[in-house]
Amino acid sequence: MAEIAYARISTAGQTGSLKTQVERFSSRGVDPDLIFAEYRSGGNTDRPKLKDCLTTLRKGDTLLVTKLDRLDILKALEKKGVGFKAL
């Protein structure tokens, strides 16, 4: 069982926010290889890092995000048997 993290920003002005999100996950002890970060609008459904993140998740894992608005796929996680935490 692993903690896997997804970080996302949607505007260029949030660049520091992406770094901050990644740092929060790192300080929690999340393996750097299990932190998926990208610059994509929430309205853009083509999110390669999110797809990679979801492919990595296994039953019993927990997906971490910093804010609920960073992710909108809770039902899919539940079906997969994956836990969820917003930091």
Side-chain angles (χ1 to χ4, degrees):
M1 295 192 301
E3 289 189 329
I4 299 171
Y6 178 68
R8 180 182 63 80
I9 58 168
S10 56
T11 65
Q14 295 176 313
T15 304
S17 175
L18 188 62
K19 181 181 176 187
T20 300
Q21 290 177 56
V22 170
E23 287 173 351
R24 285 187 73 186
F25 299 134
S26 295
S27 70
R28 187 178 167 88
V30 178
D31 181 331
D33 292 334
L34 298 177
I35 300 173
F36 298 86
E38 66 188 338
Y39 169 73
R40 287 280 194 267
S41 168
N44 185 341
T45 58
D46 179 30
R47 298 186 220 164
K49 293 294 184 178
L50 177 58
K51 289 177 186 174
D52 292 346
C53 179
L54 295 175
T55 300
T56 302
L57 287 163
R58 301 287 178 249
K59 185 175 183 175
D61 289 345
T62 300
L63 175 62
L64 304 175
V65 299
T66 57
K67 296 168 86 177
L68 287 177
D69 68 346
R70 299 293 95 186
L71 191 67
D72 54 358
I73 57 163
L74 296 177
K75 288 191 186 248
L77 296 175
E78 183 179 2
K79 287 180 184 178
K80 201 170 184 176
V82 172
F84 176 81
K85 287 185 184 177
L87 301 181

